Amino acid sequence: MPLSNDLPVDLDRALLVGRVWRPAPIDGPSVVAVRDGQVVDLTAIVPTLADLLDRPDRLDIARDGEGESLGPASELLRRSLAGAAGEGPTLLAPCDLQPVKAAGVTFAVSLLERLIEEQAGGDASRAEEVRARIHRLIGSDLSQLRPGSPQAMALKAELQARGQWSQYLEVGIGPDAEVFSKAPPMASVGSGAWIGLLPQSEWNNPEPEIVLAVDSRGQAVGATLGNDVNLRDIEGRSALLLTKAKDNNGSCAIGPFVRLFDSHFTPDDVRGADVSLRIEGEDGFVLDGVSHMREISRDPLDLVRQACQYHQYPDGFMLFLGTMFSPTQDRAGQGSGFTHRQGDVVRIASPRLGALVNRVGLCDGIAPWTFGVRALYAHLRQRGL
């Protein structure tokens, strides 16, 4: 995996917190902050990241809380991307006790691609034909259509009258957002880790997204990057297979750090962020793309509200905001579209959040998930925390 120092461009002003795995004698996870380019272990003050994000003094702790220095953040990234866990601490996903939620179909482009998956029945060879038919029916630009607006409801009525309504149109332009459970607590992987695809999937792609960190009161307190690994053929066969398509070993990557909201970085910066995607294959294939958060159809904080309006999250939660990027570039010949191959390196980046980098494997071929909530609490007991 290529080595890179992918930290925020304004690192001197960024309040970054996250988690690392420390090798023996600690042999377990630690909560960390980045200060002046150095990584500081804060676990003695806040044993879990959920604890830190829930504290009203989280900014003070991130800036000034006492802790052991673990060396330069650039070296932490180098080890993580090189898979050199034995040399020192390596990155974990910057969340622990929080369940991971995800909002779907929040961009016009992703709405169109979901319609294509549905009408193609998960068959990639039919995608171009279906795409052309949908564009003729509803056009290719729905970015100015606000979900739940009178204009959106008028389009819904027209499509229903034509017998062309879809469950994806319902959540794409209707009043209620799609918010689903992406991964349980402790299941997400961090930057440098392998991500997993189901062995039977033949049409899949990364989904580069911004992820909000939300506290137990339903307040967004920071942001990071995520890859909501997507199996287009599985979900395209039936929306009832969403969990099978979305929640698998290594299918949720988050990182590298959570950037806390403060006077230098606010939800408005999320609303205006650009998110880039680069895929490099061992076959020489390269794909580049950029998503613009200004094109999202639902406000990020409204998605937070809808996610927890009638459900409590006492440990907080992480919320993927959705993607506008569904790669369609042909990889294996005319009309083949894009799908991953094992060994692909996926880099998701945003200037003020850094970069999340992962290599693609199969769910049953990468390291299994073995360190869960019970293991975390047993480890903290051993450390007297």
Side-chain angles (χ1 to χ4, degrees):
M1 190 174 292
L3 305 182
S4 183
N5 182 13
D6 288 316
L7 292 165
V9 293
D10 56 341
L11 180 61
D12 59 327
R13 299 198 306 179
L15 283 180
L16 303 179
V17 296
R19 295 169 64 242
V20 302
W21 184 273
R22 296 187 61 181
I26 298 296
D27 197 27
S30 287
V31 176
V32 299
V34 178
R35 299 180 193 146
D36 300 321
Q38 301 291 307
V39 181
V40 179
D41 189 335
L42 300 176
T43 315
I45 304 174
V46 279
T48 70
L49 196 69
D51 287 313
L52 172 59
L53 296 180
D54 221 44
R55 289 185 55 155
D57 59 348
R58 58 185 168 272
L59 301 183
D60 295 330
I61 294 174
R63 289 192 191 101
D64 303 314
E66 293 186 8
E68 178 185 355
S69 176
L70 302 182
S74 57
E75 184 64 13
L76 170 65
L77 285 171
R78 183 200 67 78
R79 281 192 302 269
S80 301
L81 299 181
E87 298 179 9
T90 49
L91 281 164
L92 296 171
C95 53
D96 39 41
L97 300 182
Q98 306 97 321
V100 181
K101 311 291 286 187
V105 200
T106 56
F107 288 85
V109 171
S110 63
L111 167 58
L112 293 171
E113 291 302 315
R114 287 293 179 269
L115 288 171
I116 291 162
E117 290 166 19
E118 179 184 48
Q119 295 191 21
D123 182 353
S125 66
R126 296 183 55 211
E128 284 304 317
E129 166 204 342
V130 174
R131 183 176 289 110
R133 186 170 69 245
I134 289 175
H135 284 180
R136 288 194 299 270
L137 178 65
I138 62 174
S140 60
D141 184 10
L142 297 177
S143 60
Q144 302 305 310
L145 195 65
R146 307 311 299 175
S149 67
Q151 294 81 3
M153 294 301 94
L155 176 59
K156 174 180 178 177
E158 179 180 348
L159 292 172
Q160 284 178 321
R162 296 187 188 185
Q164 296 291 331
W165 192 241
S166 160
Q167 57 205 337
Y168 292 113
L169 283 164
E170 180 63 51
V171 296
I173 67 175
D176 299 314
E178 177 194 19
V179 181
F180 60 90
S181 293
K182 170 64 181 177
M186 302 292 292
S188 303
V189 300
S191 194
W194 286 76
I195 52 178
L197 306 171
L198 291 186
Q200 61 267 41
S201 176
E202 298 180 350
W203 189 20
N204 45 67
N205 61 264
E207 289 197 341
E209 305 189 22
I210 287 182
V211 183
L212 294 182
V214 184
D215 68 14
S216 65
R217 293 168 290 278
Q219 301 299 308
V221 298
T224 184
L225 297 168
N227 186 348
D228 179 12
V229 180
N230 183 41
L231 308 183
R232 302 190 70 178
D233 48 359
I234 304 298
E235 185 179 350
R237 282 163 43 200
S238 170
L240 297 181
L241 294 174
L242 178 66
T243 297
K244 184 178 182 67
K246 288 292 190 180
D247 186 6
N248 302 294
N249 182 36
S251 67
C252 180
I254 302 177
F257 299 97
V258 168
R259 180 167 184 171
L260 298 177
F261 290 140
D262 62 1
S263 60
H264 301 296
F265 184 71
T266 71
D268 280 340
D269 292 296
V270 169
R271 294 181 178 106
D274 294 333
V275 180
S276 65
L277 169 69
R278 183 174 179 86
I279 303 170
E280 298 182 62
E282 294 179 344
D283 56 351
F285 177 86
V286 176
L287 184 150
D288 288 293
V290 179
S291 298
H292 307 290
M293 284 296 295
R294 64 179 180 273
E295 296 180 17
I296 197 169
S297 61
R298 299 181 189 270
D299 186 76
L301 297 188
D302 183 60
L303 291 171
V304 171
R305 180 191 64 80
Q306 292 206 38
C308 59
Q309 185 175 12
Y310 299 111
H311 203 317
Q312 296 72 47
Y313 292 93
D315 299 311
F317 62 96
M318 308 295 287
L319 179 63
F320 280 72
L321 294 179
T323 187
M324 70 168 290
F325 196 80
S326 293
T328 59
Q329 180 178 328
D330 288 341
R331 185 168 195 174
Q334 182 70 29
S336 66
F338 171 83
T339 196
H340 271 308
R341 292 182 180 175
Q342 291 190 63
D344 282 354
V345 174
V346 181
R347 182 181 186 272
I348 296 168
S350 191
R352 303 191 68 189
L353 293 173
L356 170 67
V357 185
N358 301 97
R359 191 182 292 276
V360 176
L362 299 180
C363 293
D364 57 354
I366 64 176
W369 173 37
T370 59
F371 197 93
V373 174
R374 290 189 302 161
L376 172 63
Y377 275 84
H379 171 76
L380 292 175
R381 282 197 301 270
Q382 290 173 358
R383 293 175 66 176
L385 301 172

